[in-house]
């Protein structure tokens, strides 16, 4: 491990740093620049794994593992769940709507970055002690000793915070049913009374070669029926219109069969009429 | 014996309470009840007087503390009475003249449906005035002072349905407030200077306070006296106060209340003696008022207003005398008492004339009345002789002494004051002779009764039910009923003999001396010379008036007259002066303040509002509702903070 | 190589995250950028821990993770309920914070 009182790390670590730092920065930039939220999330997960490696390299073994298990494993998956809930394929428009926002953000970011870098550069941190001493009894044991002695109140309070957060999340997303759910009978009566969609809604995939939920049924004239897809998908704009594709497929099929029957064009014509 | 002092005040106060709260049930007996309680008060005063006479001159003063009124730490205000010879004189004058005028009012106000209330107010006045003169400290005196002011206001505005009466009441009230502020400031100054405002310690320690303090207190007391006694420059209310019923004019605005200022100055003599500047101010005010009132009295055709001018002038004499210090105090009070008699008598006579003449007040519509109203003529004539100082009558003795004292002041000041007083005596003779001639002699110039709407008419006219006094008919002058003539006769007796009685053996001087002190001034002219000069100017004044009004008929419509006459008819332009200086000045001041308020204050406020509003309108664009935009601000702010921190560390 | 390089990387990641918060409109991505900033801080803490030779920095990083977890739970719940109400996860659509 790293000797105490050094000012330079091992070459192996240096190589690892320079490779992984590029990956981490790339992941961070991708997080910011990717149009789709799901891509951003994946890039961020990558960056976090790189960070976990850095933690391990810095002697923070427990944190490195926790970073992977809790952050990348749990939190990022939570992000992905929500992304799925909100709409995985919805992409941000890249056009900025607030005038000057991008320039200001870039300016602030640049200035902030320069300040941070200048601050670090000024701090004369050429020398480091290394964790050999602190980690001598095992990293996890050392952390545990601190957490349950010096930081025990902070630890307890953090526990309370977590419980509160869990309750808060439930309260925020919970919807109280304030009236009895209508039975099927009542719903059908209501439909008759309102004279709207008395018959069942068309199922997706009818007259089509797909039966996926996001592909609307085709009406007899070949146009898609909006009613046949779920309102959630419609709201997200995730309806895939394949009516044109179906017609094109049909045309292609006819073309192919004509080519195959080219030897006897009359037969073919008769067959087509048939 | 001390307890009687409280009863003295309590009796009329009880009367006022009963009459004002008693309701209509008392309408039939109310006036007799009021008169009876006034008489009770007089009787108590007489008993106290007899008791006082029975003791030595030095321990005649009675002191009694009834209860502690406001005991707060070092501040102690007691309800206590101090009855000495000075107070006693006033008590007898107030209750005596007051009782007579109560009696007179029974006849005079016979046809007024609010007579009970009138007597209630009169009793209230008596109680307040008695409290004023028997109080043993300035604060209690102030209570009485305000009480008489209130009673005066209520009585001047007794015929409140007449706008002129209501206005006059308000005017009297407001002008009196100016004086009252002076008194209250004087009391506060006394408290800060002496730590108390009881008579004994304040007057006893007066010589130990600085002259500046004494001058300030004295000037404030003078302001108070000016307000209550209608002295220049706060004299303007007295003429208008004649809107009140005639008995009120006689009691309050001639005999008693208006002399409260003289009482105050005499009582506070020790303070004024320590402050020569304040004394100079007092004699100046007295001298100016004495001429002012006399000149106004010469020009008025309204009999009551002519008498009001005369009152002002006579009180001017008293204030002048009181300002002279120990050489004048006794004569001021003596003139006050004799004046109380003859001026009340004159006013009652005037009321009697008006009663017989359908409530006409314009002297130019009188004439030749001596034949029709013999009693009134005789009593009024005796009062007239007394006021002009006819030898042997009251006014002669008291006024003569004042003129002597004025000369005795010494130096140039003495000559000026004495000359002024002599000139005043001449003018007094002139205007009183004018009143006398125009009212009782000459040809009849009677006119139909005035419409009750006329401001000067006393509204008793409209209440007469017997048909002989209706508006628009020629008057049938007749003698007044007994209840009116008896008080007039008694007052005439007083005005004839009081002066002589007082002067005989220097009775009055010896009576008052233990309280006010007395010293003989060294006059540059002998007493005989002064008396001779007084007689001479008297003859000149009477002769002038006779030449002007007695020899040729008096025109019914007043001639245009000289500039002075016209000014005097307008009370020597005092109201115009007040209007221009105070009202206009106040208007200009408020207008200026309003303009400043509008432009500067409002301008600053509105300008701030407009600036903030305009800035906000522009700043609002920064607040576009986008969280990201706000986040940029926070991020930039954080960057700036870090930069500042680094910079500070670098420096 | 000096471990200070880790700090420079941390500063870089933090700045990228900050700019991301400012320019992205999808609330979920904004959240991810916040997480990125938190992770950058954690890296700095871990590096400091190594430099000082004690474990306090790691403890702080640990607490940061826990708090970040709590924050993510509540934040995502807010995003979901906002999405339910407005059918949009764009932070610009909720632009009611103005006059």
């Amino acid at each position: 491990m790293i000797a105490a009182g050094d000012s330079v790390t091992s070459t192996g670590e240096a190589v690892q740093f320079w490779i992984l730092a590029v990956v981490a920065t790339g992941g961070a930039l991708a997080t910011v620049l990717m149009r789709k939220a799901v891509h951003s999330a994946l890039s961020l997960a990558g960056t976090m794994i790189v960070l976990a490696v850095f933690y391990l390299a810095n002697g923070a073994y427990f944190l490195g593992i926790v970073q992977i298990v809790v952050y990348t494993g749990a939190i990022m998956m939570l992000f992905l769940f929500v992304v799925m809930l909100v709409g995985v394929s919805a992409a941000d428009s890249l056009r900025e709507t607030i005038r000057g926002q991008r320039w200001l953000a870039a300016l602030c970011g640049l200035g902030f970055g320069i300040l941070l870098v200048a601050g670090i550069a000024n701090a004369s941190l050429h020398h480091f002690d290394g964790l050999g001493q602190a980690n001598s009894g095992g990293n996890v044991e050392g952390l545990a000793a601190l957490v349950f002695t010096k930081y025990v109140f902070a630890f307890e309070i953090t526990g309370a915070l977590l419980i509160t957060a869990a309750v808060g999340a439930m309260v925020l997303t919970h919807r109280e049913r304030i009236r009895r759910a209508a039975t099927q009978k009542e719903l059908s009566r209501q439909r008759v009374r309102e004279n709207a969609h008395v018959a069942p809604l068309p199922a997706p995939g009818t007259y089509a070669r797909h039966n996926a939920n996001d592909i609307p049924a085709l009406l007899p004239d070949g146009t898609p029926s909006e009613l046949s897809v779920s309102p959630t998908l419609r709201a997200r704009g995730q309806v895939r219109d394949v009516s044109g594709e179906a017609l094109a497929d049909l045309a292609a099929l006819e073309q192919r069969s004509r080519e195959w029957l080219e030897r006897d064009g009359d037969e073919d014509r008769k067959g087509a009429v048939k | 014996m001390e307890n009687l002092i409280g009863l003295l005040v309590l009796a009329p106060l009880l009367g006022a309470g009963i009459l004002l709260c008693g309701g209509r049930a008392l309408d039939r007996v109310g006036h007799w009840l009021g008169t009876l309680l006034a008489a009770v008060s007089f009787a108590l005063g007489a008993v106290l007087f007899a008791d006082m006479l029975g003791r030595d001159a030095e321990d005649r003063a009675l002191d009694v503390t009834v209860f502690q009124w406001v005991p707060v730490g070092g501040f102690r205000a007691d309800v206590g009475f101090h009855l000495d010879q000075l107070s006693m004189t006033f008590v007898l004058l107030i209750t005596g003249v007051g009782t007579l005028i109560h009696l007179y009012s029974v006849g005079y106000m016979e046809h007024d449906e609010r007579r009970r209330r009138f007597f209630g107010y009169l009793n209230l006045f008596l109680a307040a005035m008695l409290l004023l003169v028997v109080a043993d400290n300035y604060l209690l005196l102030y209570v009485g002072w305000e009480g008489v002011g209130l009673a005066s206001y209520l009585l001047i505005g007794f015929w409140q349905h007449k706008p002129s009466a209501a206005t006059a009441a308000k005017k009297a009230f407001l002008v009196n407030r100016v004086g009252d502020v002076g008194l209250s400031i004087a009391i506060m100054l006394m408290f800060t200077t002496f730590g108390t405002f009881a008579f004994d310690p304040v007057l006893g320690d007066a010589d130990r306070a600085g002259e500046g303090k004494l001058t300030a207190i004295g000037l404030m007391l003078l302001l108070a006296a000016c307000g209550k006694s209608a002295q220049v420059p706060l004299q303007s209310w007295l003429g208008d106060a004649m809107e009140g019923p005639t008995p009120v004019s006689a009691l309050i605005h001639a005999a008693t209340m208006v002399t409260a200022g003289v009482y105050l100055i005499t009582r506070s003599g020790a303070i004024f003696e320590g402050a020569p500047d304040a004394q100079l101010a007092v004699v100046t005010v007295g001298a100016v008022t004495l001429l002012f009132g006399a000149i106004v009295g010469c020009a008025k055709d309204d009999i009551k207003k002519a008498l009001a001018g005369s009152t002002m002038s006579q009180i001017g004499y008293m204030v002048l005398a009181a300002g002279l210090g120990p050489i004048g105090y006794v004569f001021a009070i003596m003139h006050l008492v004799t004046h109380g008699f003859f001026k009340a008598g004159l006013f009652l006579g005037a009321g009697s004339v008006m009663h017989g003449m359908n409530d006409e007040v314009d002297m130019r519509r009188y004439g030749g009345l001596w034949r029709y109203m013999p009693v009134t003529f005789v009593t009024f004539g005796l009062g007239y002789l007394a006021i002009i100082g006819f030898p042997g009558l009251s006014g002669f003795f008291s006024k003569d002494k004042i003129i002597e004292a004025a000369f005795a002041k010494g130096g140039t000041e003495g000559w000026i004051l004495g000359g002024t007083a002599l000139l005043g005596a001449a003018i007094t003779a002139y205007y009183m002779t004018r009143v006398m001639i125009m009212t009782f002699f000459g040809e009849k110039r009677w006119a139909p009764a005035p419409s009750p709407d006329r401001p000067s008419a006393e509204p008793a006219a409209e209440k007469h039910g017997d048909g002989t006094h209706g508006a628009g008919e020629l008057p049938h002058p007749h003698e007044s009923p007994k209840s009116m003539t008896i008080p007039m006769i008694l007052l005439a007796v007083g005005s004839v003999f009081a002066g002589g009685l007082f002067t005989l053996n220097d009775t009055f001087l010896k009576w008052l001396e233990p309280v006010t002190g007395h010293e003989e001034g060294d006059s540059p002219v002998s007493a005989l010379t002064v008396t001779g000069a007084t007689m001479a100017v008297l003859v000149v004044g009477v002769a002038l008036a006779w030449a002007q009004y007695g020899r040729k008929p008096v025109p019914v419509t007043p001639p245009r007259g000289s500039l002075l006459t016209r000014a005097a008819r307008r009370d020597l332009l005092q109201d115009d002066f007040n209007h221009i200086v105070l009202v206009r000045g106040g208007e200009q001041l408020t207008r200026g303040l309003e303009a400043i308020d509008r432009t500067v204050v409002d301008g600053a406020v509105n300008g701030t509002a407009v600036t903030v509003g305009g800035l906000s309108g522009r700043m609002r664009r920064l607040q576009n509702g986008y969280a990201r935009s706000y986040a940029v601000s926070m991020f930039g702010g954080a960057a700036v903070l870090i930069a500042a921190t680094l910079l500070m560390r670098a420096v | 190589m000096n471990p200070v390089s880790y700090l420079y990387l941390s500063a870089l990641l933090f700045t990228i995250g900050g700019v991301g918060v400012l320019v992205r409109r999808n609330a979920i991505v904004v959240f991810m950028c916040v997480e990125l900033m938190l992770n950058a801080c954690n890296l700095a803490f871990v590096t400091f821990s190594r430099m000082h030779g004690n474990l306090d920095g790691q403890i702080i990083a640990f607490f940061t993770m826990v708090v970040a977890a709590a924050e993510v739970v509540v934040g995502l719940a807010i995003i979901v309920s906002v999405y339910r109400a407005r059918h949009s996860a764009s932070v610009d659509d909720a632009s009611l914070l103005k006059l």
Side-chain angles (χ1 to χ4, degrees), chain B residues 476-522:
Chain B
H476 305 283
H478 55 88
E479 194 50 85
S480 297
K482 283 268 181 349
S483 66
M484 287 167 73
T485 50
I486 290 173
M488 285 154 62
I489 294 166
L490 288 175
L491 286 171
V493 169
S495 36
V496 171
F497 298 110
L501 208 64
F502 290 164
T503 320
L504 199 68
N505 264 338
D506 285 339
T507 328
F508 199 72
L509 186 63
K510 286 179 188 150
W511 162 252
L512 269 188
E513 201 187 342
V515 182
T516 60
H518 180 71
E519 59 189 50
E520 295 290 339
D522 49 338

Side-chain angles (χ1 to χ4, degrees), chain B residues 620 623-628 630-632 635, chain C residues 22-25 91-92 94-95 97-99:
Chain B
R620 196 175 65 173
Q623 197 190 17
N624 49 16
Y626 294 117
R628 292 190 297 139
Y630 303 158
V632 167
F635 199 53
Chain C
L22 299 184
V23 298
R24 292 306 296 258
R25 267 169 296 177
V91 289
D92 283 3
S95 61
L97 276 172
K98 63 178 173 187
L99 287 174

Side-chain angles (χ1 to χ4, degrees), chain A residues 2 13 32 34 95 151, chain C residues 6 24-25 35 50 56:
Chain A
I2 303 141
E13 195 185 344
V32 175
M34 284 292 182
R95 212 167 60 79
Y151 294 103
Chain C
Y6 287 113
R24 292 306 296 258
R25 267 169 296 177
E35 292 302 315
R50 184 182 182 188
D56 293 282

Side-chain angles (χ1 to χ4, degrees), chain C residues 10-86:
Chain C
S10 157
L12 184 61
L13 292 182
F14 186 89
T15 310
I16 292 173
V19 174
V21 169
L22 299 184
V23 298
R24 292 306 296 258
R25 267 169 296 177
N26 189 330
I28 301 170
V29 180
V30 170
F31 234 114
M32 289 180 204
C33 292
V34 172
E35 292 302 315
L36 182 60
M37 292 163 83
L38 287 168
N39 271 288
C41 292
N42 278 355
L43 180 59
F45 277 128
V46 170
T47 310
F48 285 136
S49 168
R50 184 182 182 188
M51 287 180 161
H52 290 294
N54 60 36
L55 293 174
D56 293 282
Q58 293 186 18
I59 298 282
I60 299 296
F62 173 65
F63 283 135
T64 309
M65 280 184 188
V66 179
V67 173
E71 177 222 339
V72 162
V73 168
V74 176
L76 290 179
I78 292 172
I79 289 174
V80 167
S81 53
V82 166
Y83 181 78
R84 269 189 201 150
R86 311 180 74 97

Side-chain angles (χ1 to χ4, degrees), chain B residues 360-418:
Chain B
E360 176 64 64
V361 295
D362 190 348
M363 291 189 291
R364 292 185 185 274
R365 305 202 179 155
Y366 295 164
L369 288 176
W370 66 274
R371 203 187 316 255
Y372 300 91
M373 310 175 140
V375 181
T376 306
F377 168 62
V378 170
T379 54
F380 196 94
L382 288 172
Y384 154 73
L385 290 177
I387 192 173
I388 65 172
F390 193 79
L393 275 71
S394 299
F396 168 75
F397 294 107
S398 51
K399 199 189 286 181
D400 203 45
K401 291 282 187 195
I402 290 179
I403 297 172
E404 264 177 53
F407 276 115
K409 176 80 178 170
T412 323
E413 207 185 328
W415 281 106
I416 294 174
L417 294 176

